[in-house]
Structures are given as structure tokens and as C-alpha cells.
Amino acid sequence: MAEIITVANRKGGVGKTTTTLNLAYSLKELGKKVFVIDLDPQANLTRCFGIENANELTETIGHLLMAELEEENYLAKGYILSYDGIDFIPSSIYLSVTETQMKAETGSERILSSILEPIREQYDYILIDTSPSLNILTINALCASDSVLITADTQLFAIVGISELLKTIQKIKKRVNASLKVKGILLTMCDNRTNLSKLLTQQVEEMYQGKVEVFQTKIPKTVKVGESIYSGQSIKKYAKGSSVDIAYDNLAKEICYE
Ligand SMILES: Nc1ncnc2c1ncn2[C@@H]1O[C@H](COP(=O)(O)OP(=O)(O)OP(=O)(O)O)[C@@H](O)[C@H]1O
Ligand SMILES: [Mg+2]
């Protein structure tokens, strides 16, 4: 039975998509069966799974959520693609249409849960990449998940974002998903050469010690990430063995063997 992990932070550009993508590859390398859902209409992750023309697709997560919302007959299998041995459901701009529709319906926070329930037994891990907002889509992801992995870069505002997200997680636990856990805080874009980065890393560790797990693995800041995303590839394909590739492998090990 898969563990479902949502990658989230309300702040934009803190490594959510990069982490979802590269963690999926590293988990796969450990022999895990991985399924990835792009739950962001920006569809950045979808591009890294070899899809250039996401907005022309008619079988995306937006369409699948809409089918469940409208109680249509559908086969979830028909929406699942496979790339480099990783299963995934792409996103497109159509997901914002679905989001508007979901906002208008009561009880729509469990739509993604209903879709994943029959699928989850086929995988070891299901990773969900979310957009930088706590909209109904992210709430759906948090309702469907066992845990949430919070990415934060070592900038002050990303750290403020963590406490906001933790408050929302408390509310979600109370209202809709009592078993939701915080998997951990992952510090991304760490630059050990700058004092500020070092200081903020230390601050996060002290602030959450004994309360929320902060992953031992820190993701280093390197231009290779930008280059790999630009070329639509995972770091494992673009720069295998690089420091950031090894970091994501270590994160996968922390997650599998915690
Ligand atoms: N470890 C890293 N080192 C250097 N640059 C990075 C690293 N991780 C991510 N980046 C860069 O930071 C930018 C944002 O990363 P990413 O798209 O993963 O963030 P995000 O949280 O998914 O953003 P959004 O909120 O817009 O969805 C990208 O340009 C990416 O290339
Ligand atoms: Mg993203």
C-alpha cells in the first residue's frame, strides 16, 4: 500500500517541483514503485516527464478530477502515463478550470482521495506536487495524503511560510484528515558559503527541534538544477553523481529507512 506524500509550501519557487521530480527518480532507484501527480496548473513537472504540449492534452489530472466531480464513469488507468519507469498523471492549464468548479461545490476536498483509494495499493510511494497556494487543489492533496513534505529554501520568507503551512495542517487534521503527518521539513538551495544560509538552516533546526522533523539531508544550491529543469530532465539524467543527485538519493533513503 503506497504512502502518499504531498510536497507543499505556500511560498513559490522553494523547490517543490524539483524535489518531487528528483525524489521520484531516487525512490525508483531504490527499487520502489513510484507514482507522481502534478497538481499544479503551471505544469512544470509535466514538462520534465517528457511532455511539451501539456495544454493540448485531454487526459490530465484536471480532466480526471472533473470526471470524479461530475460522477462520470471513467477509468483512472487511462490517465496514467509512464516515463523512465515512473508512473505519472500530467497537469495542464485546464486544472484551473477544475479548481474553479471544485470551489463551487461543497465537500469537494475529498475528490482526489476518492480517485487514489483504488490505485494506491499498486505503488510504494505516491508523490503529489502542489502549487504555491493553499487552494482547494492543495487541500485535496493534503486530504488524500498520509504526510506532507515541506520544502523551504534558506530565505527568511520561506521560513515564515513553514509556520503558516503548519497551522493549516493542524486545521486539516482537525477537520478532514486526522491521520495527516508532517513527514519533515526539507531545506533546499542551501549555500554553505553564505552566513545567512547557514544561520537560517540553524534557526529552522532549533525552532522545530522535537516538534517537527527536519531532514538531515539538505539540498545544495547548484546551477545544475536550473539547467536540468531547463532541459526538461531529472538531475539523475542530467548530472548523475553530482552533489544534488546524491542529496536526493540520501533524502530517499531517509524516507525509506526512517
Ligand atoms: N537545489 C537547487 N539549486 C539551485 N536552484 C534550484 C534548486 N532547487 C530549485 N532550484 C531552482 O529554483 C527555481 C524554483 O524551483 P521549483 O520550480 O522546484 O520551485 P517550486 O516550489 O516548485 O515553485 P512553484 O511554487 O512556482 O511551483 C527553479 O528555477 C529551479 O531551477
Ligand atoms: Mg512547482
Side-chain angles (χ1 to χ4, degrees):
M1 177 77 87
E3 175 174 355
I4 306 178
I5 305 174
T6 285
V7 180
N9 191 322
R10 238 168 122 161
K11 185 166 185 288
V14 291
K16 294 182 289 294
T17 301
T18 304
T19 296
T20 311
L21 173 72
N22 293 304
L23 178 59
Y25 272 80
S26 292
L27 286 168
K28 194 215 141 207
E29 190 129 303
L30 290 177
K32 303 297 175 189
K33 184 100 177 88
V34 186
F35 176 35
V36 175
I37 298 170
D38 186 354
L39 200 62
D40 182 350
Q42 293 182 96
N44 293 339
L45 185 61
T46 296
R47 241 193 95 243
C48 297
F49 280 109
I51 291 177
E52 292 290 343
N53 55 345
N55 289 342
E56 289 165 26
L57 301 179
T58 53
E59 279 148 350
T60 66
I61 190 66
H63 296 87
L64 180 55
L65 289 165
M66 194 68 105
E68 174 70 31
L69 194 66
E70 300 292 334
E71 297 183 355
E72 287 167 14
N73 284 324
Y74 65 85
L75 256 183
K77 242 169 98 179
Y79 292 79
I80 302 175
L81 304 175
S82 194
Y83 188 73
D84 286 340
I86 298 169
D87 284 1
F88 75 101
I89 301 185
S91 177
S92 72
I93 195 69
Y94 183 74
L95 186 56
S96 20
V97 177
T98 312
E99 185 201 336
T100 308
Q101 184 83 8
M102 283 168 106
K103 265 199 297 205
E105 299 220 9
T106 47
S108 63
E109 61 271 5
R110 288 187 189 280
I111 299 291
L112 185 62
S113 282
S114 311
I115 292 168
L116 294 183
E117 217 39 66
I119 302 175
R120 65 184 296 179
E121 64 190 24
Q122 300 160 33
Y123 297 94
D124 297 310
Y125 289 96
I126 299 178
L127 304 181
I128 308 174
D129 183 28
T130 57
S131 59
S133 122
L134 278 170
N135 56 21
I136 186 71
L137 296 170
T138 305
I139 294 187
N140 259 264
L142 294 171
C143 280
S145 292
D146 299 298
S147 63
V148 49
L149 189 160
I150 303 170
T151 59
D153 65 4
T154 43
Q155 298 286 317
L156 199 53
F157 295 121
I159 290 169
V160 174
I162 300 175
S163 55
E164 281 182 20
L165 185 60
L166 288 172
K167 274 189 212 150
T168 308
I169 291 168
Q170 283 311 325
K171 282 189 199 162
I172 293 202
K173 278 181 80 146
K174 227 164 143 184
R175 295 176 194 167
V176 276
N177 181 2
S179 56
L180 182 66
K181 294 193 174 59
V182 178
K183 194 78 186 164
I185 298 168
L186 176 70
L187 291 170
T188 64
M189 299 182 230
C190 294
D191 187 351
N192 271 333
R193 290 164 308 179
T194 72
N195 285 335
L196 183 64
S197 182
K198 271 196 253 176
L199 186 73
L200 289 167
T201 303
Q202 204 185 338
Q203 256 184 18
V204 169
E205 283 176 334
E206 283 168 9
M207 200 163 16
Y208 294 106
Q209 205 172 34
K211 293 182 211 144
V212 180
E213 166 98 23
V214 179
F215 288 107
Q216 260 174 30
T217 304
K218 316 276 183 271
I219 307 300
K221 183 173 189 164
T222 147
V223 290
K224 292 218 166 52
V225 173
E227 289 168 3
S228 72
I229 300 272
Y230 180 77
S231 67
Q233 288 181 337
S234 68
I235 207 77
K236 204 163 279 307
K237 273 168 121 175
Y238 184 80
K240 194 173 167 66
S242 61
S243 61
V244 70
D245 179 36
I246 293 168
Y248 278 111
D249 283 349
N250 288 338
L251 175 68
K253 285 178 200 151
E254 267 194 71
I255 285 176
C256 288
Y257 312 124
E258 61 190 345

